[in-house]
Amino acid sequence: MWSAAAMLAGGALLPAALRSQDPARGVRIGLTYAPGTKPGVIVAPVAGAFGDSVQAIVQRDLDYGDRVTVIAGAGVLAAGTASATTPNYALLARLGAAALVQCEPLAGGRVRVTVHDVGAQRAIESREAALVSPAPSRAWRQSVHRMADEVERTITGTAGVAATRVAYVRGGRVWAIDADGAVTEAVSEGSALSPAWRPDGGALAWSAIGDAGSRIVVKELATGRLRTIGATPAGLNITPAFAPDGETVVYAHGREEGTDLWAARLSGDDPARRVTVGRGSDNTSPTVSPDGLRVAFTSGRSGRPEVYISDLDGTNVELLTDFAFDEQNYRASPDWSPDGRAIAFQARVDGLFQVAVITLRDRGVKVLTSEGKNEDPSWAPDGRHLAFTSNRTGGAELFVVDVETGRVRQLTHDRGARLAAWSPRLGAPK
Amino acid sequence: MTQQMSRRGMALALGAALLAAACSKKPETAPAPAAVPPGPTAGIAAATGGDSAARAAARDSVARAVAARDAAREAALRKVRDDSIAAVRALASKTAAELKQVLLATVYFDYDKSDVRDDTRAALELKLPILGANPSLRVRIQGHTDERGSDEYNLALGQRRAAALKRYFTDRGVAEARIDVVSFGRERPAAPGEDDAARARNRRGEFEILAGGEGLQGPR
């Protein structure tokens, strides 16, 4: 509403010469469509060597975003929606489309992306995107995903999360899979658990399990550099989580008198600082709030494992929820949502773990899964999707659930995949 | 002669330790006290505050039940003590390979617990004199869990189990530095499968020798 008004005002005031240059450049107004419905979107066929791949990737990314309905099929071709031609808006509207996306290959691996508002019968966005060559490499696919995320922003007002990856564990190693499930890459050697992304997406931390104990390792993804942090070589060092500053790592350090949370700096030689005082209990799996002030974690301090929240200095401890799902409560593996408003966790329901989300404002609980055993949720950067482990198809696999609609898709086809960690939005490599 | 004496002394000391340990837990073999028959007569007698004969009968019944319970408990403890003494005595005649087997025998835990069970206690009592008789022996105790529970929390539970086993030995005089602990949570199961039998075998403490494992001596 505001943007539309601003554009109208701008249009009225700008000299005609300037206005004619690029009517929509830099202005995003989104589409007008009924709230609660998913607008229909048609992605026009894309010319060029990998045009079909571009169209397929953008279609799938928009579909996985769960905010629009992708319309595909013969009718679309009949509409004559080839890029860079004037669209047949009336026909598009009859096909149910609220928006049309055209991608026109340019020289030097660039693409002109145009988004049309079918109802308004005009282009609302037209800009160039750079694709990383060579196609169809992993980097190229990621650049197509970034393009699709921007298209989703133009149409819905919220950027997509296609240009992200999900780190996970299988066969003792850390892997990273693109959010659309297309490409998987090994990140660690050896025995590793509980990967966690640095907020800039440039590094992963995990717990390296050795014969004599475990340690927290951080890998810079660009250079491959490995660091051990925490300076607590012996004993148990598990479940790292980055604070929003990208410098502080909170993790669980186990000694003979119990396992507590500690905080260490990534750089510098400061000694690790103890966070929780569990008095002999086990405290693991921290997740730091997006404002960096609080931490949620699993603790057995009252007997059964429960999720607690405390300040990052360990004070002001409170139980996340006393809601009873099961005769014997067991709640674990919290993950704080990127908007700070909710925490996802696993809770035992009728003897099996299920993924649940609690809203912090009113402590309302929503259980999202019911099929099989479902564990270790991790939020996507949109605060709307969760990756989690499920054995619903037999072996452990990663799945993604849309918290709004409950729609679920399988991410890995790997048997034994678990402990998902969804990356932040990943920018172009520098 | 003196050797025999000291061996018996060691065995007796161990027996006493076991007895003390056994006393701290309710022996499962002790029967519940025989119920005092709260027959209609006794009830009426109690209510009316009369009939001393019925009251005396009830008192006798309680006394008999208590005596029977004490006798059963005493017998159970005697058996535990005798078995333990016999087992520790038997250690003295074992070969180095057999001693290693006793030392490395895996012990088990209850679900979500790190308490040392009675059967585990008996196994640890056999390992203790081997640690005592071989001062250069160093071991590492691995804590493991079954596949239930959170993958991450299980690592802490495994650590707690290994630490509980270590504490059993250090509380009885074994030097801290001779025992390392490590947890593998559910990462290295001993038995595949997710049934109760497999789970029971996976909730365990394993022992490995770090140093001084050659030519183990039995207790003397």
Side-chain angles (χ1 to χ4, degrees):
Chain A
M1 206 50 197
W2 177 88
S3 317
M7 202 182 84
L8 282 177
L13 293 173
L14 280 173
L18 262 179
R19 235 182 309 159
S20 65
Q21 270 185 350
D22 189 348
R25 192 169 192 104
V27 180
R28 297 195 173 97
I29 60 170
L31 294 181
T32 318
Y33 57 91
T37 64
K38 302 204 298 183
V41 175
I42 287 174
V43 180
V46 180
F50 290 93
D52 289 351
S53 297
V54 171
Q55 184 194 20
I57 292 170
V58 172
Q59 278 178 338
R60 192 163 53 186
D61 288 350
L62 291 175
D63 177 40
Y64 287 170
D66 288 310
R67 294 179 198 273
V68 303
T69 301
V70 175
I71 301 164
V76 174
L77 287 172
T81 51
S83 48
T85 59
T86 304
N88 182 344
Y89 289 119
L91 182 52
L92 288 166
R94 276 205 298 283
L95 291 168
L100 170 72
V101 180
Q102 294 175 321
C103 305
E104 179 194 357
L106 305 173
R110 299 182 72 79
V111 174
R112 171 156 293 278
V113 186
T114 308
V115 179
H116 298 264
D117 183 334
V118 172
Q121 304 214 343
R122 61 183 175 81
I124 54 168
E125 168 95 346
S126 183
R127 57 184 189 83
E128 284 186 19
L131 298 188
V132 178
S133 59
S137 64
R138 222 195 112 245
W140 178 83
R141 291 186 64 94
Q142 283 288 330
S143 61
V144 177
H145 292 321
R146 285 194 292 277
M147 193 174 85
D149 287 346
E150 283 306 308
V151 167
E152 195 173 327
R153 188 205 298 275
T154 302
I155 297 172
T156 69
T158 305
V161 290
T164 60
R165 298 162 82 191
V166 177
Y168 65 99
V169 172
R170 184 173 65 84
R173 295 172 76 179
V174 174
W175 304 77
I177 186 168
D178 289 1
D180 65 349
V183 185
T184 307
E185 204 176 52
V187 179
S188 84
E189 304 286 329
S191 210
L193 282 177
S194 308
W197 291 90
R198 195 167 61 194
D200 67 355
L204 272 167
W206 62 79
S207 175
I209 314 284
D211 285 341
S214 47
R215 58 207 170 87
I216 304 295
V217 172
V218 177
K219 180 175 183 173
E220 297 289 338
L221 297 179
T223 62
R225 180 187 171 207
L226 282 173
R227 273 181 285 186
T228 296
I229 59 155
T232 42
L236 190 70
N237 296 287
I238 55 170
T239 64
F242 278 95
D245 64 7
E247 261 294 305
T248 308
V249 179
V250 184
Y251 63 100
H253 174 50
R255 298 179 297 179
E256 277 150 38
E257 55 273 25
T259 299
D260 271 301
L261 299 185
W262 291 67
R265 305 279 293 171
L266 194 52
S267 57
D269 303 317
D270 305 348
R273 177 175 61 79
R274 186 165 168 178
V275 176
T276 60
V277 182
R279 302 185 202 288
S281 66
D282 296 330
N283 300 272
T284 66
S285 313
T287 174
V288 183
S289 63
D291 63 11
L293 298 177
R294 309 210 80 198
V295 59
F297 55 97
T298 311
S299 175
R301 58 187 60 197
S302 63
R304 299 219 150 255
E306 276 286 358
V307 175
Y308 292 82
I309 302 180
S310 81
D311 291 350
L312 204 49
D313 63 3
T315 58
N316 295 321
V317 186
E318 54 172 325
L319 183 63
L320 179 64
T321 175
D322 54 13
F323 186 88
F325 298 97
D326 199 287
E327 283 172 23
Q328 294 189 316
N329 277 332
Y330 190 132
R331 290 183 266 257
S333 311
D335 191 42
W336 214 304
S337 74
D339 62 10
R341 293 181 191 157
I343 290 177
F345 59 102
Q346 67 187 64
R348 187 169 283 165
V349 183
D350 293 332
L352 284 178
F353 281 125
Q354 301 299 345
V355 171
V357 170
I358 184 167
T359 312
L360 292 175
R361 190 171 57 80
D362 59 6
R363 303 281 161 134
V365 177
K366 187 173 169 188
V367 179
L368 297 171
T369 57
S370 57
E371 203 182 333
K373 184 167 78 170
N374 301 281
E375 303 170 86
D376 295 305
S378 173
W379 287 101
D382 61 1
R384 171 169 176 151
H385 294 87
L386 285 166
F388 61 97
T389 312
S390 178
N391 68 352
R392 63 185 64 189
T393 53
E397 298 284 4
L398 299 189
F399 289 77
V400 173
V401 62
D402 172 20
V403 174
E404 302 276 316
T405 64
R407 181 186 179 206
V408 173
R409 69 178 165 98
Q410 186 168 345
L411 178 60
T412 62
H413 297 79
D414 247 2
R415 263 188 178 264
R418 61 196 172 117
L419 296 166
W422 206 315
S423 79
R425 288 191 175 88
L426 301 172
K430 289 172 186 88
Chain B
M1 187 62 188
T2 48
Q3 215 177 29
Q4 230 174 7
M5 286 284 286
S6 77
R7 187 185 301 159
R8 186 171 302 141
M10 176 81 177
L12 285 175
L14 273 168
L18 254 189
L19 180 65
C23 283
S24 69
K25 280 214 148 187
K26 206 194 296 176
E28 285 173 15
T29 44
V36 181
T41 353
I44 290 162
T48 55
D51 200 349
S52 62
R55 220 183 285 168
R59 241 193 337 262
D60 285 355
S61 168
V62 169
R64 275 197 305 278
V66 167
R69 186 192 60 193
D70 287 352
R73 182 184 286 167
E74 180 63 29
L77 288 176
R78 201 180 309 123
K79 180 164 172 13
V80 167
R81 189 179 55 207
D82 291 351
D83 287 355
S84 155
I85 290 170
V88 173
R89 267 198 192 129
L91 281 181
S93 58
K94 282 192 189 299
T95 65
E98 287 168 335
L99 289 170
K100 191 183 261 186
Q101 222 171 7
V102 172
L103 179 70
L104 299 185
T106 299
V107 299
Y108 298 92
F109 291 88
D110 288 334
Y111 171 63
D112 202 27
K113 292 280 194 314
S114 57
D115 311 350
V116 174
R117 297 193 323 209
D118 285 350
D119 59 334
T120 293
R121 191 186 308 278
L124 298 182
E125 280 299 328
L126 291 178
K127 299 176 196 286
L128 189 55
I130 299 175
L131 281 163
N134 299 276
S136 64
L137 183 61
R138 285 188 60 233
V139 298
R140 180 154 58 211
I141 305 177
Q142 306 172 358
H144 299 267
T145 71
D146 66 26
E147 92 298 344
R148 286 175 294 177
S150 125
D151 289 6
E152 294 177 340
Y153 189 80
N154 271 341
L155 282 161
L157 176 58
Q159 177 84 1
R160 190 142 47 88
R161 285 178 175 163
L165 296 176
K166 172 173 179 174
R167 204 174 312 116
Y168 191 90
F169 296 121
T170 54
D171 283 354
R172 286 158 181 78
V174 179
E176 289 262 347
R178 295 180 58 198
I179 304 177
D180 281 4
V181 298
V182 66
S183 171
F184 294 116
R186 55 160 290 185
E187 304 303 320
R188 298 186 183 182
E194 301 192 351
D195 53 296
D196 284 347
R199 285 170 179 155
R201 285 186 56 203
N202 288 333
R203 295 189 297 267
R204 69 200 193 278
E206 285 190 18
F207 296 77
E208 62 180 309
I209 293 171
L210 295 177
E214 300 310 309
L216 288 179
Q217 303 286 313
R220 310 195 176 281

